Amino acid sequence: MNAPLLSLRGVSAYYGSVAALRGVDLDVNEGEIVTLIGANGAGKSTLMMTVFGAPRARSGTIAFAGEDITARPTHAIARLGLAQSPEGRRVFPRMSVQENLQMGAALHGGRYFGQDLEKVCTLFPRLKERLNQRAGTMSGGEQQMLAIGRALMSRPRLLMLDEPSLGLAPLVVKQIFSAISALNREEGMTIFLVEQNAYHALKLAHRGSVLVNGRITLSGPARALLDDPSIKAAYLEGGHAPTASVGEGVQA
Amino acid sequence: MDVFVQQLINGLTLGSIYGLIAIGYTMVFGIIGMVNFAHGDVFMVSTFIALISFLGLTALGISSVALAFLLVLIVTMALTALWGFSVERIAYRPLRGSFRLAPLISAIGVSIFLSNFVQVAQGARNKALPSMLDGGLTLFERDGYAVTLSYKQILIMAVTSVLLLGFWYLVQRTPFGRAQRACEQDRKMAALLGIDVDRTISLTFVLGAVLAAVAGLLYLLYYGVVSFSDGFVPGVKAFTAAVLGGIGSLPGAVIGGLIIGLIETFWSAYFSIEYKDVAAFSILAIVLIFMPSGLLGRAEVEKV
Ligand SMILES: Nc1ncnc2c1ncn2[C@@H]1O[C@H](COP(=O)(O)OP(=O)(O)OP(=O)(O)O)[C@@H](O)[C@H]1O
Ligand SMILES: [Mg+2]
């Protein structure tokens, strides 16, 4: 078996003296969708940022494609082929949509910009209509599409998405999830997904992990996690698991 | 009328020099949100580098003015760029991420260091340059008063226009300019996209210093004398110009520079030369009361 594309071993990270990650072990294999679920404040976003060295892991090691990246500068990590659509979207507000996408393509010097733009616009037709609009004036959902599109523009080997469905209308959520699944199926893109919506995420993913208070408490095939009673109780009940209209996005 | 036109020309010339320095302030402020108080002194150092290299070339017997000018320009830009680079490395980068006032205090320290260093190394007296590139065009003449546009003035205004256009293009249309604006808007996100933020900031300082070097050379050529204290007042005026034009905006910096230059020149011509700086700063205060983000500053219309 090949070595995992991304692997974390005993990773701890702190904000000041407060621990946000405690000894996290995690693998993402090439071609997989792996999801991380957990309550608010569990450390999911921190984990994604720690992979990029911001904050830096205080102990443990992080390897990507066989290289130890634990101590690399953030920009050098990104250039290895990791892209992130971060929490809060973080589009560049005073740049146009097109310029934001160009920033995504910057690490290839814009070599594939034309054809990749085409692809992102097919995925999110909304962006195509708004290429010249200032990103800061777009709606929340549009900004989310832009953040994902920008990440795709770098042709990542590993795409990391932090709550891509946050604040979006059910129809758009569906659209984004089907886009994610298509990217994985058709292009074999490896995806690491952090989601509020545990039900959708586990439906989509091959494997999942549960993060509680900075610790991974459970890992396994997504199917198995969906059926796990403790997960059902903690993350799937309370409106997130539509029983009748599976995947139709009918929510409270 | 004749006097008016003449003052207009003089004011635009002076304003062009302020504008060139102001671009450096505005770019650095844009990218790290800090006033680079040492920028005026980097400008002053460049006037001395230019002076010394002119004198050196004259001693070597290079007599072609064009050749000398070109060589001096290259030497001055290179050495001043090195200054700008070192100042950022030594005084600002180690403080990045510390409390907000730290780099500001460091900047003031560098400013004092540079002006004292030049004072000690070069003496406190004015240094003069043998005049060159004299002459000019007489635009019109009436009742014995000739309105002239000197070659130096033409050079200064032309160089400023070309550099403004060039830098505007750089910032708005090139990958480097985009990276610069990305660092300005969200440094962490820029890094997540593979942008080397430190390098981008370094280059911004270097570019600001190169512009200061050009301004320094032109200043030396125009006035013929320089002194170690020439960093402070032109520096503050250029900073004022950057704020007036809307900090962060390149065309704003040059427009601000021109306005300050014009106010100063006209006030000296029609009212009193002693109060010219008071006039310039009063206008600044008034403009900022009504337009807090400056003339071309951005209006904040973003969603959060
Ligand atoms: N910049 C910061 N400084 C200090 N503490 C922080 C910082 N960012 C996050 N934290 C803390 O670290 C912990 C983990 O935060 P994180 O954002 O990773 O959670 P999360 O799992 O992404 O939560 P959510 O589902 O709400 O997005 C929280 O307790 C949070 O308060
Ligand atoms: Mg989060």
Side-chain angles (χ1 to χ4, degrees), chain A residues 92 95 103, chain B residues 177-187 190:
Chain A
F92 298 111
M95 286 191 193
M103 284 308 299
Chain B
R178 234 175 357 249
Q180 216 180 15
R181 283 180 292 140
C183 292
E184 205 172 305
Q185 295 175 29
D186 187 340
R187 209 182 284 175

Side-chain angles (χ1 to χ4, degrees), chain A residues 13 85 220:
Chain A
S85 166

Side-chain angles (χ1 to χ4, degrees), chain A residues 158-172:
Chain A
L158 173 60
L159 175 66
M160 305 181 86
L161 303 170
D162 196 342
E163 306 201 14
S165 72
L166 190 69
L168 299 186
L171 196 67
V172 186

Side-chain angles (χ1 to χ4, degrees), chain B residues 20 23-24 27 159-174 176-177 180 203-204 206-212 214 250-251:
Chain B
L20 282 180
I23 292 178
M27 280 200 314
V159 166
T160 302
S161 316
V162 169
L163 285 177
L164 172 63
L165 279 178
F167 272 72
W168 184 85
Y169 183 85
L170 178 81
V171 168
Q172 294 300 325
R173 291 278 181 274
T174 66
F176 173 71
Q180 216 180 15
L203 266 170
T204 302
V206 165
L207 288 174
V210 165
L211 283 179
V214 176
L250 299 194

Side-chain angles (χ1 to χ4, degrees), chain B residues 22-246:
Chain B
I23 292 178
Y25 276 111
T26 232
M27 280 200 314
V28 166
F29 185 88
I31 200 163
I32 55 174
M34 186 202 88
V35 181
N36 176 13
F37 267 109
H39 189 59
D41 296 280
V42 170
F43 158 78
M44 177 274 295
V45 167
S46 79
T47 62
F48 273 88
I49 296 173
L51 177 71
I52 293 167
S53 16
F54 260 127
L55 297 179
L57 286 178
T58 317
L60 286 177
I62 291 178
S63 53
S64 154
V65 172
L67 180 64
F69 190 79
L70 194 67
L71 288 174
V72 169
L73 182 67
I74 291 168
V75 170
T76 310
M77 289 202 305
L79 291 180
T80 310
L82 193 64
W83 270 113
F85 178 80
S86 318
V87 165
E88 194 268 335
R89 263 301 160 86
I90 296 168
Y92 302 148
R93 188 178 296 186
L95 295 172
R96 209 167 290 154
S98 85
F99 71 108
R100 272 187 80 84
L101 280 179
L104 201 67
I105 293 164
S106 183
I108 292 169
V110 171
S111 161
I112 294 170
F113 167 78
L114 287 179
S115 70
N116 280 292
F117 172 71
V118 172
Q119 181 180 5
V120 171
Q122 295 293 319
R125 268 180 295 163
N126 285 350
K127 298 273 172 182
L129 180 77
S131 71
M132 57 179 71
L133 203 69
D134 292 323
L137 310 172
T138 303
L139 295 185
F140 53 89
E141 191 165 356
R142 214 176 326 161
D143 309 331
Y145 186 90
V147 174
T148 59
L149 180 61
S150 73
Y151 294 136
K152 285 175 192 169
Q153 290 175 321
I154 296 175
L155 180 73
I156 290 171
M157 288 190 252
V159 166
T160 302
S161 316
V162 169
L163 285 177
L164 172 63
L165 279 178
F167 272 72
W168 184 85
Y169 183 85
L170 178 81
V171 168
Q172 294 300 325
R173 291 278 181 274
T174 66
F176 173 71
R178 234 175 357 249
Q180 216 180 15
R181 283 180 292 140
C183 292
E184 205 172 305
Q185 295 175 29
D186 187 340
R187 209 182 284 175
K188 195 163 173 184
M189 190 62 228
L192 288 180
L193 294 171
I195 302 297
D196 186 340
V197 174
D198 280 339
R199 186 168 153 270
T200 307
I201 292 175
S202 256
L203 266 170
T204 302
F205 270 82
V206 165
L207 288 174
V210 165
L211 283 179
V214 176
L217 176 58
L218 295 175
Y219 183 88
L220 173 71
L221 208 62
Y222 194 52
Y223 288 105
V225 291
V226 291
S227 125
F228 74 95
S229 63
D230 278 351
F232 185 69
V233 173
V236 170
K237 296 239 181 81
F239 172 62
T240 306
V243 174
L244 185 63

